[in-house]
Amino acid sequence: MAIKVNTWSGNLMLSNRLLSFLNWVSKAVTGLSNKLKLRTKGNAKLHSRYTNTLAAIMPALMVVFTGALASKSTFAAGTSNSTTSQGEVEIATSERARFTVIAHRGASGYLPEHTLEAATLAFSLRPDFIEQDVVITKDDIPVVLHDIHLETVTNVEEMFPARHRDDGRFYARDFTLEELRKLRVHERANSDKTQVFKNRYRGKQANFKVATLSEHFELIGELNRQFNTSVGVYPEVKSPAFHMAEGIDASKIVIDTLKEYGFAGENGNSYLQCFDFNEVKRIREALGYKGKVVMLIGENDWGESDTDYDWLRTKEGMNQVAYYADGIGPWLGHLLDEKAMTKGKMEAAAWIKYAHDNELTIHPYTYRHDALPAGMKGEQILEVLHKVVQADGVFTDHLVPVLTWREKQNTSL
């Protein structure tokens, strides 16, 4: 549910807080009802089950609200005996109020992407989620790499010069985990071995390694436990059709790992994302996954899947996405109206309305502080995402400027 709410200022009277909470409850129930209607259209059995679920939670919502009316202490910060404190309500709505920040491939603007070191640095900066792209090894182990190929981020050509396929590419699927451990992970490089982002990490001595999905989930889970925090995970199933052709169900492996480390399910602190719409449908239907799912949207010529992304950005396409997904992950280049921009105006692209109409969470990618559009500052981009596009958050390589901007937004409320 894409609920747009502002955090309550410290000087608001209790009555205003209660009215704000009632408004939130009303929007939440309306949004949930609309979402369930979309999800269960044409499926009477599923519609009945979801309707019964909604009916079951309504009394609980009313108890929370009426209990708040009966006792001012309900919303008092630090009240240990309150079942629903102001802080708990704010936590429930924080993803919308605070603008969700997702660490794209870990703290990839500062350390080589998807390494455990990048994930640890990301955690220390306290984003809401840390992303993991997942591919499967020869011995069927999920590892965290952005591509199914290895040469762009490792020294595989030096270590295993003859292990490429006929297309000249080195595939992670052709290597066991033990073999991948022998590789050194470096900053993403072009075909001529120059860094894609020349001012990022330039060190040569640190021995960064390929890590498994289990290692990433365990790391984040253990840090959450020790620091009493709740940083979530945001895995992506990479190239599921490729993996299926290789005889392996990548989505099932990722879901099983989410379950193993307690990140799965409707209340799990995670999103599961994919560029393949057919796979998103399979995740919901064949695999029966109930956690939050995001449909990634790219360009058709990127070759991410056989999904028609142009069609997805139509009214019909967004309606179909809403049957299966909780949100979308659109490319930044798709978000603004190009004709309006030629006239010096910043307006959301028309298709964004279809996503909002379907109550889809919108997490665009990728904010890179070292690759800003010409003539724009970082804060301007974030303001446009937040106020023009009304996005719910953003993927970023550079956590520091985004988190700093968000903190400014919060303190100004």
Side-chain angles (χ1 to χ4, degrees), residues 159-173:
M159 299 299 295
F160 299 98
R163 295 281 292 278
H164 57 78
R165 294 193 183 187
D166 291 343
D167 61 1
R169 308 298 301 271
F170 295 79
Y171 289 74
R173 180 64 182 161

Side-chain angles (χ1 to χ4, degrees), residues 235-246:
E236 177 189 341
V237 181
K238 298 297 295 188
S239 305
F242 164 82
H243 283 99
M244 199 66 78
E246 293 284 316

Side-chain angles (χ1 to χ4, degrees), residues 179-190:
E179 290 172 328
L180 291 180
R181 298 287 203 199
K182 297 177 182 179
L183 305 180
R184 184 190 296 268
V185 176
H186 56 65
E187 273 291 327
R188 179 166 289 273
N190 297 304

Side-chain angles (χ1 to χ4, degrees), residues 153-214:
V153 292
T154 75
N155 64 339
V156 65
E157 294 162 296
E158 298 173 14
M159 299 299 295
F160 299 98
R163 295 281 292 278
H164 57 78
R165 294 193 183 187
D166 291 343
D167 61 1
R169 308 298 301 271
F170 295 79
Y171 289 74
R173 180 64 182 161
D174 295 336
F175 294 81
T176 65
L177 178 61
E178 183 180 0
E179 290 172 328
L180 291 180
R181 298 287 203 199
K182 297 177 182 179
L183 305 180
R184 184 190 296 268
V185 176
H186 56 65
E187 273 291 327
R188 179 166 289 273
N190 297 304
S191 58
D192 62 0
K193 304 305 177 185
T194 58
Q195 284 193 190
V196 173
F197 300 99
K198 63 180 182 179
N199 291 320
R200 295 192 183 183
Y201 190 85
R202 297 174 179 173
K204 303 297 182 183
Q205 299 304 312
N207 194 13
F208 299 108
K209 293 295 184 181
V210 174
T212 67
L213 184 61
S214 292

Side-chain angles (χ1 to χ4, degrees), residues 116-284:
L116 289 174
E117 291 86 350
T120 304
L121 177 57
F123 182 93
S124 73
L125 297 170
R126 296 298 192 274
D128 299 293
F129 295 91
I130 300 174
E131 184 199 33
Q132 304 81 28
D133 295 301
V134 186
V135 300
I136 313 300
T137 68
K138 185 176 183 179
D139 44 351
D140 298 344
I141 297 172
V143 293
V144 181
L145 289 165
H146 180 263
D147 308 310
I148 58 175
H149 310 113
L150 294 166
E151 65 271 13
T152 54
V153 292
T154 75
N155 64 339
V156 65
E157 294 162 296
E158 298 173 14
M159 299 299 295
F160 299 98
R163 295 281 292 278
H164 57 78
R165 294 193 183 187
D166 291 343
D167 61 1
R169 308 298 301 271
F170 295 79
Y171 289 74
R173 180 64 182 161
D174 295 336
F175 294 81
T176 65
L177 178 61
E178 183 180 0
E179 290 172 328
L180 291 180
R181 298 287 203 199
K182 297 177 182 179
L183 305 180
R184 184 190 296 268
V185 176
H186 56 65
E187 273 291 327
R188 179 166 289 273
N190 297 304
S191 58
D192 62 0
K193 304 305 177 185
T194 58
Q195 284 193 190
V196 173
F197 300 99
K198 63 180 182 179
N199 291 320
R200 295 192 183 183
Y201 190 85
R202 297 174 179 173
K204 303 297 182 183
Q205 299 304 312
N207 194 13
F208 299 108
K209 293 295 184 181
V210 174
T212 67
L213 184 61
S214 292
E215 288 168 339
H216 275 264
F217 283 179
E218 180 185 86
L219 173 71
I220 296 167
E222 282 298 297
L223 292 175
N224 276 333
R225 178 182 63 81
Q226 294 179 86
F227 287 94
N228 193 28
T229 51
S230 57
V231 175
V233 300
Y234 212 124
E236 177 189 341
V237 181
K238 298 297 295 188
S239 305
F242 164 82
H243 283 99
M244 199 66 78
E246 293 284 316
I248 194 71
D249 188 341
S251 294
K252 185 178 186 305
I253 289 176
V254 173
I255 290 170
D256 287 345
T257 311
L258 282 166
K259 291 177 179 177
E260 181 180 356
Y261 289 90
F263 287 111
E266 295 172 272
N267 298 316
N269 196 15
S270 68
Y271 284 89
L272 177 60
Q273 55 180 335
C274 188
F275 272 103
D276 190 323
F277 187 42
N278 286 330
E279 190 68 9
V280 166
K281 291 190 284 188
R282 198 179 76 86
I283 286 169
R284 282 295 192 209

Side-chain angles (χ1 to χ4, degrees), residues 66-93:
T66 55
L69 287 173
S71 173
K72 292 183 179 181
S73 65
T74 303
F75 284 93
T79 302
S80 59
N81 293 327
S82 173
T83 57
T84 306
S85 68
Q86 176 186 342
E88 288 170 329
V89 172
E90 289 177 337
I91 288 171
T93 62

